[in-house]
Amino acid sequence: MDTKIQPLPATKHIALVAHDGKKAALRAWCNLHRAVLSQHVLYATGTTGHIIERDTALPVTKLLSGPMGGDQQLGAKIAEHDIHMLIFFWDPLASQPHDPDVKALLRLAAVWNIPVACNEATADMLLSSDLMQCEIDRHLPDYDKYLATRMDK
């Protein structure tokens, strides 16, 4: 598929997701990085969003809980270019009933070429990057061109 360049804005829309066993770690991480996160727009799945907002005083747009459709809501926002970064503290040692939704969310983040952190060390590196505060170009699938070729058939 052909690609096109689309910028990620300086003010990022960041999705925050954590499995139950990682919610405390994400809450602590958000508290540690509150100053940087406050410069961006935050989204989260339901329970995670409530915890972060309550314990950090950061404003968070809260979607449904992950198993109730929140992962899919975030995936739709990624596909619509409304989410520019995904911080997902997932628990690789626990079975998740909504694992297909989690895999779909990560797949969409890869398709639409947004930065993803699945653990604290990677999230630290992303947030401390000089690129975090500026507009950066990213390559995306050229869906309009792809659709035009499909319509010609």
Side-chain angles (χ1 to χ4, degrees), residues 129-140:
S129 169
D130 292 338
L131 300 175
M132 193 62 201
Q133 305 301 328
C134 62
E135 184 176 287
I136 60 170
D137 287 338
R138 65 180 168 149
H139 291 269
L140 300 178

Side-chain angles (χ1 to χ4, degrees), residues 18-22 88-96 118:
H19 285 148
D20 289 345
K22 297 290 185 173
F88 188 170
F89 282 22
W90 63 284
D91 189 346
L93 302 178
S95 174
Q96 303 298 328
C118 292

Side-chain angles (χ1 to χ4, degrees), residues 8-58:
L8 286 177
T11 300
K12 312 287 189 286
H13 289 200
I14 303 171
L16 302 167
V17 183
H19 285 148
D20 289 345
K22 297 290 185 173
K23 288 189 190 317
L26 183 59
R27 179 186 61 225
W29 182 85
C30 287
N31 265 316
L32 183 64
H33 297 286
R34 189 177 329 161
V36 174
L37 292 172
S38 69
Q39 298 170 28
H40 301 280
V41 178
L42 306 178
Y43 292 81
T45 50
T47 307
T48 301
H50 285 287
I51 290 169
I52 291 168
E53 193 169 64
R54 180 192 70 207
D55 295 348
T56 67
L58 291 165

